[in-house]
RNA sequence: GGCAGGUUGCCCGAGCGGCCAAAGGGAGCGGUCUGUAAAAUCGUCGGCUGAAGCCUACGUUGGUUCGAAUCCAACACCUGCCA
């Protein structure tokens, strides 16, 4: 049943740096699971896209506005990232999906030859709307009062059954997203993997609201699938994009399982979703449980993408429970704010102990930054507010997470995942950064 | 030499009789960041203390006052303008 190892282990990074002309733009999308994690839902696998393959589990670097902030695409490839995820809402507002379409698609526009993802903009409904002021709901029984306005903040998104009305955070103009519009935008953007337009709730919403929201997300998923198929059929030029649905349901087992089952059974003309995203509200300590509930309901032959997770312990938990790919802004955002990962935990390089420390961030790291620069230099760059600080630390953090996931994949293949997990997490959380 | 203005905590800078250990910046010190509204944000920031409290502080010295960074005098230094 499993393909030959050579098929399972292509060289995605080399493919990603080969340039556009050497790539076949017509490779069909596929996912092939490979080695399973004994007794758990985790596995390795390979996702094939028109722009190259992704060996899973894989960390997808986030490049919201068609750039991994502060870093050249060549560096993103060199540090081993296999794919980049951009955002439909942000690119729709600026520069406009039509511009990216005219440029030849997201990958060409941003000079990233490898696989690309776009998020639907569903998360922005939450971050610009309901979640805009979490305290707001603390003295009520849920975030449902659309008329409540928190001091100093303006609600920029409102949900209704048909879609979402946004106020642009850039210029205040009004915009409308529906499942159909999100699909049209994402088809114009042209990423290899796109996400259904979902509603992302918060833990502050009531159970009743979560139920209604999951139901709505499902109706939206059906509309996304229909529109995606129409665009795939009628769009010009023909696209080869894979649509992932997003499983919501907050922390309720029945909602999560039902949401997953409903999405799996959703078929139009014998075809359903190419993969599944797991999103939404959850507390950190429930991550593994929730991911397991969902993945138990999902088919083995479809990839699962966990949206927005990347702390080391979360990565192990997610992968162990069946996640194949995941993305997160944390490695790059945190890097721009001077926090860096090491095998012995995270620390801030802009603090006093690094001022005269002439060793790298992490002696064990093979990244561009650690093989060339000292903590003292990075400390100086942050203090001097030089932008190279962001660049170098982003490269380090992205490399750290990519490498961690590479190591996890290798440990699954070698049948020693659990040993590696105990060893890594013991060092990461059990000791203080060595500096 | 004359006239005018000034001297505040590590730096800049408000305060102009009590509510002043002294606004606000900056620097320093520490934290946070999970589908990016982020090169963001929060805390701390004279000393001793958990706290109450005490001590030391607004150029120097002396004075007025129940009470002075704030009023007065002398001195020191700085800055303008006029000789």
């Amino acid at each position: 049943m499993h393909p030959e190892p050579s098929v399972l282990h292509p060289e995605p990074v080399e493919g990603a740096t080969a340039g556009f002309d050497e790539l076949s733009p017509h490779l069909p999308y596929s996912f092939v699971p490979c080695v399973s994690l004994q007794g758990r839902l985790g596995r390795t696998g390979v996702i094939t896209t028109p722009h190259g393959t992704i060996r899973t589990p894989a960390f997808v670097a986030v490049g919201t506005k068609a750039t991994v902030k502060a870093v050249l695409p060549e560096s993103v490839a060199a540090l081993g990232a296999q794919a980049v995820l951009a955002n439909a809402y942000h690119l729709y507002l600026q520069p406009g999906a039509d511009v990216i379409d005219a440029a030849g698609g997201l990958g060409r526009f941003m000079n990233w030859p490898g696989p690309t993802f776009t998020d639907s903009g569903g998360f922005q409904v939450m971050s610009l709307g309901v979640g805009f002021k979490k305290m707001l709901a603390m003295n009520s029984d849920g975030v449902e009062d659309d008329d409540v306005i928190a001091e100093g903040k303006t609600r920029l998104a409102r949900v209704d059954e048909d879609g979402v009305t946004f106020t642009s955070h850039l210029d205040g103009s009004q915009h409308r997203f529906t499942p159909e519009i999100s699909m049209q935008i994402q088809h114009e953007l042209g990423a290899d993997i796109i996400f259904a337009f979902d509603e992302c709730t918060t833990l502050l919403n009531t159970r009743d609201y979560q139920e209604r929201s999951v139901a709505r997300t499902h109706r939206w998923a059906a509309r996304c699938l229909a529109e995606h198929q129409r665009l795939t059929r009628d769009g010009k030029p023909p696209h080869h994009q894979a649509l992932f649905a997003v499983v919501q349901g907050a922390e309720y087992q029945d909602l999560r399982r039902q949401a997953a089952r409903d999405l799996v059974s959703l078929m139009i003309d014998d075809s359903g979703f190419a993969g599944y995203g797991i999103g939404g509200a959850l507390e950190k300590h429930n991550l593994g449980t929730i991911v397991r509930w969902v993945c138990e309901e999902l088919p083995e032959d479809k990839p699962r993408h966990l949206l927005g997770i990347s702390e080391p312990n979360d990565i192990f938990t997610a992968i162990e429970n069946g996640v194949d790919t995941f993305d997160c802004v944390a490695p790059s955002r945190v890097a721009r704010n001077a926090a860096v990962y090491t095998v012995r935990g995270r620390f801030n390089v802009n603090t006093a102990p690094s001022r005269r420390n002439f060793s790298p961030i992490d002696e064990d790291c093979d990244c561009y930054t650690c093989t060339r620069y000292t903590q003292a230099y990075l400390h100086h760059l942050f203090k001097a507010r030089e932008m190279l600080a962001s660049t170098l630390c982003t490269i380090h953090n992205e490399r750290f997470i990519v490498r961690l996931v590479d190591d996890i994949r290798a440990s699954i293949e070698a049948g020693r995942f659990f040993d590696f997990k105990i060893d890594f997490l013991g060092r990461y959380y059990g000791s203080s950064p060595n500096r």
Side-chain angles (χ1 to χ4, degrees):
Chain A
M1 181 62 207
H2 291 317
E4 295 300 309
S6 59
V7 178
L8 292 173
H9 304 293
E11 295 302 324
V13 173
E14 286 168 26
T17 54
F20 291 99
D21 295 338
E22 289 103 293
L23 292 168
S24 164
H26 301 301
L27 279 175
Y29 169 86
S30 71
F31 172 67
V32 181
C34 182
V35 180
S36 291
L37 185 55
Q38 197 63 262
R40 293 290 201 283
L41 294 162
R43 70 271 182 88
T44 66
V46 177
I47 298 171
T48 301
T49 78
H51 293 94
T53 57
I54 302 167
R55 294 174 61 188
T56 66
F59 172 68
V60 179
V62 175
T64 301
K65 301 180 191 177
T67 168
V68 178
K69 293 183 194 297
V71 179
L72 291 172
E74 286 82 351
S75 301
V76 176
L79 64 84
Q82 303 185 71
V84 172
L85 178 144
N87 184 279
Y89 166 78
H90 288 277
L91 294 177
Y92 155 82
L93 287 182
Q94 187 181 58
D98 58 319
V99 172
I100 291 174
D101 188 25
L106 176 64
R108 277 188 186 273
F109 185 56
M110 68 181 287
N111 188 36
W112 172 257
T116 49
F117 294 52
T118 48
D119 189 19
S120 64
F123 178 77
Q124 278 63 38
V125 179
M126 190 278 288
S127 66
L128 301 173
V130 158
F132 73 113
K133 189 84 174 180
K134 290 176 181 164
M135 286 75 89
L136 199 158
M138 298 306 257
N139 44 23
S140 65
D141 62 349
V143 185
E144 292 184 62
D145 183 357
D146 281 357
D147 297 323
V148 180
I149 302 294
E151 353 68 77
K153 287 264 187 174
T154 312
R155 166 174 297 204
L156 296 177
R158 270 169 207 283
V159 191
D160 59 65
E161 173 54 28
D162 184 54
V164 177
T165 301
F166 288 101
T167 301
S168 163
H169 68 281
L170 297 175
D171 64 7
S173 55
Q174 291 284 306
H175 300 270
R176 179 84 181 151
F177 265 36
T178 62
E180 290 77 17
I181 292 170
S182 179
M183 286 299 101
Q184 289 155 17
I185 291 167
Q186 291 191 74
H187 271 253
E188 279 196 294
L189 296 174
D192 300 310
I193 292 172
I194 66 179
F195 284 93
F197 190 59
D198 62 324
E199 183 185 9
C200 184
T201 59
T202 79
L203 289 171
L204 299 169
N205 292 105
T206 57
R207 156 90 197 194
D208 179 59
Y209 189 87
Q210 305 284 13
E211 280 180 31
R212 287 186 280 129
S213 177
V214 165
R216 176 151 61 198
T217 288
H218 185 265
R219 290 190 293 275
W220 286 3
R223 287 165 59 186
C224 284
L225 184 59
E227 182 67 2
H228 169 67
Q229 292 184 354
R230 187 187 73 77
L231 290 164
T232 301
R233 192 174 56 240
D234 303 339
K236 39 183 188 307
H239 293 286
H240 300 274
Q241 295 177 288
L243 175 62
F244 283 29
V246 180
V247 179
Q248 290 286 348
E251 303 203 297
Y252 299 103
Q253 179 169 194
D254 55 335
L255 292 187
R256 285 283 181 182
R257 287 187 185 276
Q258 193 60 49
R261 277 197 295 268
D262 289 346
L263 290 170
V264 170
S265 63
L266 189 53
M267 297 286 227
I268 299 178
D269 294 340
D270 266 355
S271 83
F273 294 102
Y276 300 89
I278 303 170
L282 49 84
E283 281 187 296
K284 200 175 160 66
H285 66 273
N286 293 326
L287 176 69
T289 310
I290 291 166
V291 166
R292 182 171 54 76
W293 294 336
V294 171
C295 290
E296 282 175 354
E297 305 297 336
L298 295 176
E300 276 181 45
D301 63 349
K302 296 285 164 60
R304 304 130 182 187
H305 180 92
L306 180 62
L307 291 150
I309 293 295
S310 77
E311 285 302 308
N313 57 345
D314 297 334
I315 291 173
F316 279 97
T317 301
I319 292 173
E320 181 175 336
N321 289 290
V323 164
D324 301 301
T325 58
F326 49 93
D327 68 276
C328 193
V329 303
S332 74
R333 178 190 285 171
V334 140
R336 271 175 279 125
N337 297 319
V340 290
Y341 299 107
T342 82
V343 290
R344 294 164 63 85
R346 209 182 85 178
F347 73 91
N348 297 329
V349 243
N350 61 354
T351 55
S354 291
R355 198 169 91 86
R356 289 181 154 277
N357 186 321
F358 300 102
S359 51
I361 294 166
D362 188 342
E363 299 277 7
D364 298 321
C365 183
D366 62 0
C367 83
Y368 174 84
T369 302
C370 285
T371 53
R372 290 167 180 79
Y373 299 98
T374 63
Q375 287 181 37
Y377 182 63
L378 296 166
H379 178 277
H380 161 252
L381 292 179
F382 274 111
K383 292 299 186 186
R385 298 178 177 265
E386 285 292 338
M387 53 192 180
L388 185 58
S390 295
T391 300
L392 293 176
C393 287
T394 300
I395 289 172
H396 168 77
N397 279 356
E398 295 278 334
R399 173 59 190 158
F400 182 88
I401 298 298
V402 162
R403 188 184 183 192
L404 170 59
V405 178
D406 285 349
D407 289 346
I408 291 174
R409 189 192 317 123
S411 79
I412 296 172
E413 286 167 349
R416 48 176 185 77
F417 171 85
F418 294 101
D419 290 342
F420 179 64
K421 176 186 174 185
I422 289 166
D423 179 55
F424 184 92
L425 294 181
R427 267 188 304 162
Y428 188 84
Y429 293 102
S431 53
S432 54
N434 186 22
R435 51 169 185 159

